[in-house]
């Protein structure tokens, strides 16, 4: 899978050059391709923004350099995701959906946003990380890449995905996990995990996942069979 990022700050994405993402790139499972919108500015100062028509604070990224940056990718039929606070809140279902794409274009806004006409022209999806505002779309884009890349076959082991939060049809949070030492500051590993009884371990984990979901995210259970 190929991630193409239209951004004013491509250096930010050097932070993905580690851990699972780096392994996915090294193994040829994914590519991460930041494209600098400034390279497509039609002026010597590489300026890409302007004052908003109608007045107001801040600057708006203009449509032409974004359009030319997108056109340079030669991916006219690929999905273009604009990272914006006004978008649909990103979740695991959307991550699975995006992971089916061969190429995904991520458009990062900045300043006070981007010209609406480029949204009308090329954007297929608008995604938000939540009901808060960041200075730009780079951090949300990195979050989307991380969430989606790990679902691409071969990036991480399939069994690692099987029981994590939001991964199963029940929509429950993940159960608690433990490793050595057995005793940490008076807290010991639950005996059932030492029993070797796989049926009891599975039953315990499901119950713990249900309790964790009720305690931390009761909204996930509303209207479900678990209520």
């Amino acid at each position: 899978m190929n991630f193409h990022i239209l951004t004013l700050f491509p250096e930010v994405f050097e932070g993905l050059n580690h851990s699972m993402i780096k392994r996915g790139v090294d193994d040829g499972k994914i590519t991460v391709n930041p494209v600098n919108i400034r390279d497509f500015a039609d002026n010597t100062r590489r300026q890409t923004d302007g004052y908003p028509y109608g007045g107001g604070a801040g600057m708006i990224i203009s449509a032409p350099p974004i359009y030319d940056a997108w056109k340079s990718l030669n991916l006219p039929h690929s999905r273009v995701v604009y990272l914006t606070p006004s978008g649909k809140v990103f979740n695991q279902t959307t991550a699975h959906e995006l992971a089916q794409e061969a190429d995904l274009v991520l458009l990062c806004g900045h300043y006070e946003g981007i010209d609406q006409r480029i949204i009308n022209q090329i954007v297929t999806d608008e995604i938000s990380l939540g009901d808060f505002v960041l200075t730009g779309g780079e951090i949300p884009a990195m979050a989307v890449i991380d969430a989606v890349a790990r679902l691409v076959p071969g990036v991480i082991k399939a069994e690692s995905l099987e029981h994590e939060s939001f991964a199963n049809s029940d929509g429950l949070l993940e159960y608690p996990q433990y490793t050595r030492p057995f005793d940490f500051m008076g807290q010991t590993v639950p005996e059932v995990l030492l029993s070797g009884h796989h049926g009891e371990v599975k039953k315990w984990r499901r119950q713990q996942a249900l309790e964790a979901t009720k305690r931390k995210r009761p909204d996930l259970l509303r209207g479900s069979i678990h209520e």
Side-chain angles (χ1 to χ4, degrees):
M1 181 177 186
N2 306 303
F3 297 96
H4 309 274
I5 310 121
L6 305 181
T7 174
L8 295 176
F9 302 98
E11 63 275 8
V12 170
F13 295 91
E14 294 173 7
L16 293 173
N17 252 350
H18 303 280
S19 189
M20 178 269 297
I21 300 291
K22 185 178 188 304
R23 289 198 300 271
V25 171
D26 290 345
D27 292 342
K29 304 297 183 182
I30 59 175
T31 66
V32 179
N33 173 35
V35 178
N36 193 339
I37 297 170
R38 297 182 199 276
D39 291 342
F40 298 87
D42 62 355
N43 57 83
T44 56
R45 295 177 56 199
R46 303 177 80 205
Q47 184 174 350
T48 59
D49 56 0
Y51 293 104
Y53 280 116
M59 304 290 279
I60 307 297
I61 304 176
S62 61
I66 297 176
Y67 182 79
D68 289 342
W70 168 76
K71 198 171 180 181
S72 75
L73 297 174
N74 196 26
L75 297 169
H77 305 298
S78 293
R79 290 172 77 164
V80 178
V81 176
Y82 175 41
L83 289 312
T84 169
S86 61
K88 175 185 175 183
V89 176
F90 186 63
N91 58 27
Q92 192 70 6
T93 299
T94 305
H96 276 280
E97 180 186 333
L98 295 178
Q100 307 309 308
E101 302 292 324
D103 290 274
L104 187 64
V105 181
L106 300 171
L107 172 56
C108 303
H110 220 80
Y111 311 125
E112 293 302 312
I114 66 178
D115 191 303
Q116 179 64 39
R117 291 168 292 184
I118 196 65
I119 299 174
N120 299 342
Q121 188 71 25
I122 70 171
V123 169
T124 60
D125 305 82
E126 296 185 41
I127 284 179
S128 168
L129 288 192
D131 296 333
F132 54 90
V133 179
L134 298 171
T135 56
E138 284 74 20
I139 290 175
M142 292 175 72
V144 169
I145 291 170
D146 191 278
V148 172
R150 64 196 307 279
L151 300 175
V152 174
V155 173
I156 63 176
K157 294 179 180 179
E159 55 266 33
S160 297
L161 302 173
E162 188 176 353
H163 298 295
E164 63 187 5
S165 296
F166 312 114
N168 56 59
S169 59
D170 290 334
L172 301 177
L173 299 182
E174 191 175 14
Y175 48 78
Q177 299 274 23
Y178 299 86
T179 188
R180 297 177 181 178
F182 170 74
D183 187 322
F184 172 70
M185 300 182 72
Q187 299 182 73
T188 58
V189 178
E191 292 294 336
V192 65
L193 300 180
L194 309 175
S195 67
H197 195 300
H198 297 301
E200 289 300 314
V201 169
K202 184 176 181 181
K203 180 179 177 182
W204 178 88
R205 284 176 168 170
R206 178 175 172 78
Q207 183 59 36
Q208 291 294 312
L210 180 57
E211 290 179 7
T213 306
K214 285 180 178 179
R215 185 173 68 255
K216 299 177 181 179
R217 291 290 306 277
D219 57 295
L220 296 175
L221 300 176
R222 289 177 193 141
S224 75
I225 61 174
H226 305 295
E227 272 196 307

